[in-house]
Amino acid sequence: MHSTRAVTTIFAAALTAGVLAACGNGAGAGSAPTAEQTAAAAADNSGLVIYSGRNEKLVGPLLGKLEQAVGAPVQVRYGDTAAMAAQILEEGDNSPADLFFGQDAGALGALAKQNRLAALDAQTTGQVIDGYADENNLWVATSARARVIAYNPATAPEIANATSIDVVLEPKYKGGKIGYAPTNASWQSFVTALRVTKGEDGARDWLTKFKAQEPRAYERNGGVLEGVESGEVDLGLINHYYWYAKVAEEGDAVKSKIRFLDSEDPGALINVAGVGVVAGTDQSEAANKAVNFLLSKEAQTYFADETAEYPVIEGVTSKHDLPDLSTLKKPAIDLNDLDSLPQTLELLGQVGLT
């Protein structure tokens, strides 16, 4: 197992190399807080400080309701999920962060592995669907999303029947015809799923073949989808909710389609966004209230309707015509196994997909 110093070093090296570039996961700000911001936050212990790797445009309206829910002032720092996790590791016991709101299970698991998250009450984690909380109650999912292939039905009609992510390695898609977001946390978790299912050598081989396809890199999943829409690429690797949100906004004007692989292939990964209380916080009560608010029916309905994600508690439905989460086939991966994010970043750097 990597030591805390080693993990932090790998994260920092990734940051320096630009793996976690600005807006990498579509966050409102693409980097972690500056030293000046950290010092200022540390000096102000009057309220709850959240490090959020989630897009401010997506979750800002919801987090704006937290002050009333927790009964304390709330500061939210937006940035890249992995960059925020790295910041918490680097700050150690001096971190001003009280709550970490991450885009994927990998970053949450990496913090849990390094003892940077405090245990949640079992009643809190027990609210969610089985499999959507850390086995040691160190983090809990707030919403779920499926990896899908967005495609142009005119140029890539065969994607409609695809069941494996290997379809993107076919010769016809070579030469800038595939879109992906290399600094996106969900892409990184997909690569971790590749490592878990195919082994290190198998994942390296797949990524090497993918790089040989000369895929087109975008800053965000939304950019990937726009690339498919405009015909710049034939297909793109994204999360499902970007497409549903676009359809809700533009209706029949949307040209692209999406394919749920609906199989045990790593390309069918169902990942989560989630939260964890930072170990050592002096705002434990407020932080735990915030966690429970994000699992409330109000917040879960927001995720279901406003961001087109899957709710993680029973009894909440979506206005979007989503396939039932319980019916989707997915790889047999425990979300806790996605915690080797630093090793994934290292592999991506070695292969040259940063």
Side-chain angles (χ1 to χ4, degrees), residues 150-199:
Y151 66 98
N152 182 330
T155 59
E158 60 279 357
I159 299 299
N161 298 310
T163 57
S164 171
I165 196 65
D166 291 351
V167 69
V168 306
L169 303 180
E170 293 183 1
K172 71 169 291 185
Y173 298 121
K174 185 172 183 177
K177 296 181 180 180
I178 308 167
Y180 80 122
T183 59
N184 182 269
S186 294
W187 158 259
Q188 293 160 3
S189 284
F190 157 68
V191 174
T192 304
L194 274 180
R195 293 176 47 241
V196 171
T197 57
K198 295 179 177 291

Side-chain angles (χ1 to χ4, degrees), residues 236-288:
L237 309 181
I238 64 171
N239 292 328
H240 79 275
Y241 58 88
Y242 289 92
W243 186 84
Y244 280 95
K246 191 170 187 62
V247 168
E249 182 178 334
E250 300 181 15
D252 292 341
V254 175
K255 302 173 185 176
S256 62
K257 303 289 185 183
I258 57 171
R259 172 63 178 174
F260 290 83
L261 294 179
D262 198 24
S263 67
E264 296 182 359
D265 187 84
L269 178 68
I270 296 175
N271 201 350
V272 299
V275 289
V277 175
V278 178
T281 175
D282 60 359
Q283 297 288 332
S284 179
E285 182 178 355
N288 279 280

Side-chain angles (χ1 to χ4, degrees), residues 178-333:
I178 308 167
Y180 80 122
T183 59
N184 182 269
S186 294
W187 158 259
Q188 293 160 3
S189 284
F190 157 68
V191 174
T192 304
L194 274 180
R195 293 176 47 241
V196 171
T197 57
K198 295 179 177 291
E200 299 297 332
D201 290 342
R204 183 184 298 275
D205 178 66
W206 192 95
L207 291 169
T208 299
K209 291 177 180 176
F210 182 72
K211 185 175 187 297
Q213 293 288 76
E214 302 171 356
R216 184 182 296 271
Y218 293 85
E219 287 187 341
R220 300 179 296 274
N221 272 327
V224 174
L225 182 56
E226 288 302 324
V228 178
E229 280 290 305
S230 68
E232 189 172 48
V233 292
D234 290 343
L235 53 88
L237 309 181
I238 64 171
N239 292 328
H240 79 275
Y241 58 88
Y242 289 92
W243 186 84
Y244 280 95
K246 191 170 187 62
V247 168
E249 182 178 334
E250 300 181 15
D252 292 341
V254 175
K255 302 173 185 176
S256 62
K257 303 289 185 183
I258 57 171
R259 172 63 178 174
F260 290 83
L261 294 179
D262 198 24
S263 67
E264 296 182 359
D265 187 84
L269 178 68
I270 296 175
N271 201 350
V272 299
V275 289
V277 175
V278 178
T281 175
D282 60 359
Q283 297 288 332
S284 179
E285 182 178 355
N288 279 280
K289 284 183 178 179
V291 173
N292 280 288
F293 172 75
L294 292 172
L295 297 178
S296 68
K297 186 172 183 179
E298 177 184 358
Q300 291 293 296
T301 300
Y302 177 91
F303 290 129
D305 289 345
E306 301 305 319
T307 68
E309 295 175 273
Y310 284 104
V312 291
I313 63 171
E314 300 286 357
V316 176
T317 58
S318 173
K319 69 180 183 181
H320 303 280
D321 188 22
L322 301 176
D324 191 321
L325 183 62
S326 65
T327 66
L328 288 176
K329 293 180 182 178
K330 59 184 179 180
I333 296 176

Side-chain angles (χ1 to χ4, degrees), residues 55-192:
N55 188 316
E56 184 175 7
K57 291 182 180 179
L58 287 178
V59 302
L62 181 65
L63 296 187
K65 300 180 178 181
L66 271 178
E67 288 200 1
Q68 182 177 356
V70 306
V74 175
Q75 300 179 52
V76 185
R77 308 293 176 80
Y78 291 96
D80 183 279
T81 286
M84 286 296 194
Q87 187 78 8
I88 290 173
L89 289 178
E90 291 174 354
E91 293 167 345
D93 293 338
N94 296 319
S95 178
D98 302 305
L99 191 72
F100 176 68
F101 189 12
Q103 189 187 350
D104 77 297
L108 288 157
L111 287 178
K113 182 182 284 188
Q114 298 304 316
N115 301 314
R116 295 302 299 132
L117 297 180
L120 299 167
D121 190 287
Q123 289 186 330
T124 297
T125 57
Q127 297 177 67
V128 302
I129 301 168
D130 286 347
Y132 289 92
D134 173 66
E135 57 189 355
N136 295 312
N137 295 330
L138 294 175
W139 59 263
V140 65
T142 53
S143 58
R145 82 289 297 273
R147 292 295 285 175
V148 297
I149 301 177
Y151 66 98
N152 182 330
T155 59
E158 60 279 357
I159 299 299
N161 298 310
T163 57
S164 171
I165 196 65
D166 291 351
V167 69
V168 306
L169 303 180
E170 293 183 1
K172 71 169 291 185
Y173 298 121
K174 185 172 183 177
K177 296 181 180 180
I178 308 167
Y180 80 122
T183 59
N184 182 269
S186 294
W187 158 259
Q188 293 160 3
S189 284
F190 157 68
V191 174
T192 304

